[in-house]
Each structure stands twice: as C-alpha cells, then as structure tokens.
Amino acid sequence: MEMNREKLCTSKADVGSDSAYHCSTCHDDEEWSNSSRGRAKSRSLSASPALGSTKEFRRTRSLHGPCPVTTFGPKACMLQNPKTIMHIQDPASQRLTWNKPPKSVLVIKKIRDASLLQPFKELCVYLTEENNMIVYVEKKVLEDPAIANDDNFGPVKKKFCTFREDYDDISNQIDFIICLGGDGTLLYASSLFQGSVPPVMAFHLGSLGFLTPFNFENFQSQVTQVIEGNAALVLRSRLKVKVVKEHREKMTVQNGIEENGVVSTNIEKEVGKQIMQYQVLNEVVVDRGPSSYLSNVDVFLDGHLITTVQGDGVIVSTPTGSTAYAAAAGASMIHPNVPAIMITPICPHSLSFRPIVVPAGVELKIMLSPDARNTAWVSFDGRKRQEICHGDSISITTSCYPLPSICFRDPVSDWFESLAECLHWNVRKKQNNFAVEE
C-alpha cells in the first residue's frame, strides 16, 4: 500500500511539470486588483512551477494550495520541500529564502511618535549607506517637522522613494518590509498589500508588541540575517472580505408630491450594487453602532444559515486576531499556523452562545436580519468603518495571500513568549513546596 502511494505521488510530480497551475480563487483576486489599480497581473501564491496538471489536482479553498512553493512579493519565497505535497506545512519547515538578493525595503514608522525618530534615522542610514538599498517611506512620515528640519538627515532623505496610501501602487516594487512601532504598524503594512505580501520584519517599539518579536538594540545583525535569508517565517492567514451594498440614491421629487398624493421630500432609489474587497489580518467586526437596540444579523456558512446573532455584534477573526478583540470577548487563543476562522459573539443575548472555530476556507456570509430594528456597522482591522443596511451582505473566506511574518526564533517559541510577556498568560506566583522534616 505504501509503495503504491509513493508511485502515485511520483507520477503526479512528473506529469505536467511545465504547465502552469491556475488557482481560481487567486485568479479572481488578481482580476479585481487589476481592474482597481490598472496594472499588470501580479504573481499569486500558486504561480510557482506546478507539480501536476489541473486534471489531477483539485483546487481547494484551504489556507494554501497544493503547490508547496509559496512566493511573497517579487523576490521572496519559502524553501522548497520536494518530498511532500501538503496543504499546511510544518512550521519548522517555513524558512525564508530569496530568489534574488533583496534591493528595496519599505520602512513603516508609527506616526506622531517622537520616540521613534532616532531609531528611524539609524535604520534608514544603515539600509541606504551600508547596504545600498532602496528605501521606500510614506510621504506623510517625511512631513514630520523633526525629520523635515534635520539638516544632518537631509542627504539620506533625498535617497528615499515616497508614496501615498490609496494613490500609489508599490506592490511589485517592495522586496521586504520593516515595521517600527507596535502591532498597529503590522496591521497597516497588511492593508497596503491587497495581494501578495513581502516578508515583514517587525520591531517592538510600541505599547503591546504581541506581533513584533524583534528588539531594536541589535538591529544591524538582525537585518543582515534577514537580507542573507537566514530567518524563520510564520504565515499569518488573512481574510478575504467582499462587501456588497445596494447602492441607493436620494432623489428630490418635484413639488414634494408623489403620484399617490403623499407629501415627500426624498426618495431612496436603488441604482445598482457597490462591491468592495479587503484583505484583513486580525478581524472583521460587525456591531450595532450608535443604536441602542441589539444587533440582529444572520450568519451563513457555505450558504446555510447557522445562527442569528442578537447582541452587541459578532467578530470573525483569523488565528492572529484570536489574541486581539476576540480574546477580550472570551474566545480561545489560536496559534497562527492553525488553519481556522473564529466566530465570536460580542455580549450575546444568550448564555449558550459560545465562540466557535470553523475550518479555514469555508465561506461565511453576514447579512442584516429581515426583522432587524436597526442597521449594523462593520470595520476591518479597525479601519474602513461603514454602515450595513437591509439587502447588503458581507462575504468572508480565507485569503490566498497570507502575511509572512519573520520570526525572532521560531513560530512556536515566539508565540508562547508573546503570550507570557504581553498578555501574562498563566503568570502567577509558584506554590510553595512542603518543608522537609528531618
């Protein structure tokens, strides 16, 4: 039996090695990205050489496709393991490697934080002068008076490439990312890349630092190791969220009188649908907003109604987001390598409504219940907050584009150390032992 299984795997690896494998989910993402940004198609996670034809492999909606080679940005990928074809790789095998030496780096600094100015300057000088790298910085970072008025930093600042959020596309120009700040900087870096994300190196210079494992004291040696490709990775899955809203337009009726004689000043008329897509690293939060009534939303899983949420709202989170808002709402904490989606109610109006974990890849849909008294509000990683009305829908599934976070040691050690240091998980004074009597 084992011998037949090996022959089967070998035959699958040999047949169609030159044919390109197309992921339908990734392909849909690329088409949306191209239509919104107007650029050439970017490489998806499954754009590497395929190990079989589409007839032999059925694309699932799991965390990763059947191809074990995963790319991040223009030049980064994971070391290939040709002996296994796995949907979820062993965390110990997730190591960073470079197809070509990295040349461009995006430095993200927390805005309005004077304590980060000196680390930011030291890092940029090290990258430009000692490593001869192209440094990308957001334009509003350089508008800080402390940086703009520093004459000593002027020669380095002239070498920067600047961009503006929501205006400039840098997705195919960044080899890896360095974050200076707290967990919010990593979430912001995720929002800048709606497709494939370059490797992210996050330094702990904020208040919590659960997602930022690196200390800045020895940043030169740590950055050098990353440039040389000597680092472990944790693939933080993201959620692909599609919001479909019934686009309504208020129209003023002439003379304020309709045909039936009722006086009216405004009429809402449906003129089409508005579709928006987001890549979310932590969670999607649907709540009751400013209303004093309970939120009343229906949750569907793969087209089947599973429950109606009556309470303050509901949180749909990734394993990375399980230690954020979901943990504060009473959910369990899940390691980032676990392929899952967590559904957590916010102050539910039912004592038996406990948080649940569903497999990664299922499609969740959230809609306002027909008998809901009020509308709902939705936010994505705490941003892009907007109102959800009757007829609108929120579709959520696991994204094909995870965020590759560079580890300080390894995925397991870093996660448990963050639990102990940042959240004080199971920290207490040890119980005294019995005194030994002679």
Side-chain angles (χ1 to χ4, degrees), residues 211-384:
L211 305 178
T212 54
F214 289 93
N215 293 321
F216 196 76
E217 286 77 12
N218 302 318
F219 77 93
Q220 295 93 340
S221 59
Q222 295 170 347
V223 172
T224 301
Q225 286 185 353
V226 172
I227 294 176
E228 294 175 353
N230 182 19
L233 285 177
V234 56
L235 300 182
R236 301 187 179 275
S237 63
R238 299 196 294 176
L239 298 175
K240 184 182 74 171
V241 186
K242 182 172 70 172
V243 180
V244 180
K245 304 185 72 173
E246 297 289 346
H247 190 64
R248 299 171 179 87
E249 197 176 74
K250 288 187 177 182
M251 301 178 61
T252 302
V253 181
Q254 292 182 357
N255 300 326
I257 301 177
E258 296 180 8
E259 294 180 358
N260 56 7
V262 178
V263 178
S264 176
T265 56
N266 293 307
I267 294 179
E268 288 189 352
K269 180 181 180 182
E270 295 185 4
V271 293
K273 294 184 178 181
Q274 181 182 9
I275 301 176
M276 296 161 287
Q277 293 197 45
Y278 306 95
Q279 296 284 334
V280 177
L281 178 60
N282 260 1
E283 74 269 313
V284 179
V285 178
V286 180
D287 57 60
R288 59 192 175 98
S291 174
S292 59
Y293 295 110
L294 296 175
S295 68
N296 196 342
V297 295
D298 295 332
V299 180
F300 299 84
L301 193 150
D302 286 340
H304 303 283
L305 177 65
I306 58 172
T307 190
T308 297
V309 180
Q310 295 185 90
D312 282 355
V314 64
I315 306 169
V316 180
S317 60
T318 63
T320 297
S322 68
T323 53
Y325 193 1
S332 298
M333 294 180 288
I334 306 176
H335 190 275
N337 281 111
V338 178
I341 298 176
M342 176 172 284
I343 303 173
T344 307
I346 307 172
C347 298
H349 213 246
S350 171
L351 295 177
S352 60
F353 196 170
R354 311 305 301 166
I356 61 173
V357 179
V358 297
V362 300
E363 184 176 4
L364 296 171
K365 179 177 284 189
I366 300 177
M367 299 183 66
L368 204 62
S369 298
D371 54 351
R373 295 181 177 182
N374 57 310
T375 61
W377 289 75
V378 62
S379 61
F380 314 94
D381 283 340
R383 310 179 74 211
K384 309 291 184 181

Side-chain angles (χ1 to χ4, degrees), residues 159 201 257 260 378 386 413:
K159 300 179 182 179
M201 185 180 188
I257 301 177
N260 56 7
V378 62
Q386 53 193 274
S413 299

Side-chain angles (χ1 to χ4, degrees), residues 75-148:
K75 299 177 182 176
C77 64
M78 285 196 310
L79 292 177
Q80 184 177 2
N81 185 359
K83 296 182 181 180
T84 58
I85 300 176
M86 302 174 63
H87 291 291
I88 304 299
Q89 287 188 313
D90 180 9
S93 68
Q94 295 174 180
R95 304 286 302 180
L96 174 66
T97 186
W98 301 100
N99 296 326
K100 297 179 181 179
K103 292 296 183 183
S104 60
V105 56
L106 169 62
V107 178
I108 298 178
K109 186 187 79 69
K110 186 178 180 181
I111 305 297
R112 296 184 298 274
D113 192 341
S115 64
L116 298 181
L117 294 178
Q118 188 60 32
F120 173 74
K121 294 177 182 179
E122 293 179 7
L123 176 64
C124 292
V125 170
Y126 176 75
L127 292 172
T128 55
E129 296 185 355
E130 298 191 27
N131 287 276
N132 196 25
M133 300 194 72
I134 303 173
V135 177
Y136 284 78
V137 179
E138 195 168 6
K139 190 174 182 179
K140 61 183 179 182
V141 173
L142 298 182
E143 294 173 355
D144 192 313
I147 297 179

